[in-house]
Amino acid sequence: MLKRDRAMVAFGLAGVAILSWTYLIYLDWGMRHMDVGMQMVIMPAMQHWTAWDLVLVFLMWAVMMVAMMVPTASPAILLFAEVNRRRSEQQGTLVATGQFLLGYLAAWTGFSVLATLAQWGLLTAALVSPMMESTSNALGAGLLLIAGLFQFSLLKYACLAHCRSPMGFLATEVARRLMGCL
């Protein structure tokens, strides 16, 4: 089992990504075929959201984050599984890797909550159209300015210093655990 854990993790990650992309493609199809798409139970209303629409938009954001971020995090997750397997040589490798993935997904789920609330707020304030097109030149200019300023900010470089290399992160964390610092 330990020799196959890397394959199991890889197939699990691929399965999660494929299911997520399948859902998003289905939503895209519903948007492109509005005559049929608006009758879909999983399609949120374009305006005047109910609680169910809020849940559906959150689900869309959360699944979209999983679809995009799991493939990009897969090398780090596979590396974590490998380091954990070599370090411990015990059955808990898959559990630890699952916990690592769940922590990563929890962060993106939190982002999805914020994105859903921001989308609802912008739609309610009529700053975006039901199709999520900006109706405010000031909003568009402000977002562009904030994104541009972030590119030159110290925050960006601080984030990159800690997040650029998954191997550096894992090596540091494993060394701390082995030394009993955590």
Side-chain angles (χ1 to χ4, degrees), residues 11-105:
F11 282 119
L13 292 172
V16 166
I18 288 168
L19 286 173
S20 299
W21 279 106
T22 301
Y23 176 78
L24 293 175
I25 290 167
Y26 181 65
L27 283 180
D28 178 62
W29 178 86
M31 291 295 289
R32 292 177 191 272
H33 299 89
M34 288 294 232
D35 53 328
V36 179
M38 291 310 293
Q39 304 306 317
M40 294 174 14
V41 176
I42 61 169
M43 186 64 66
M46 292 290 133
Q47 43 191 329
H48 309 298
W49 287 3
T50 64
W52 178 245
D53 294 316
L54 202 62
V55 168
L56 289 175
V57 171
F58 164 75
L59 183 63
M60 181 269 312
W61 274 105
V63 171
M64 185 170 47
M65 291 296 102
V66 169
M68 290 188 304
M69 301 314 289
V70 166
T72 62
S74 290
I77 295 165
L78 290 169
L79 181 61
F80 177 84
E82 181 68 19
V83 167
N84 201 29
R85 182 178 65 83
R86 288 184 184 197
R87 182 177 62 104
S88 61
E89 292 293 335
Q90 55 185 329
Q91 296 287 21
T93 301
L94 291 176
V95 172
T97 304
Q99 290 171 339
F100 183 75
L101 175 61
L102 286 176
Y104 185 76
L105 293 178

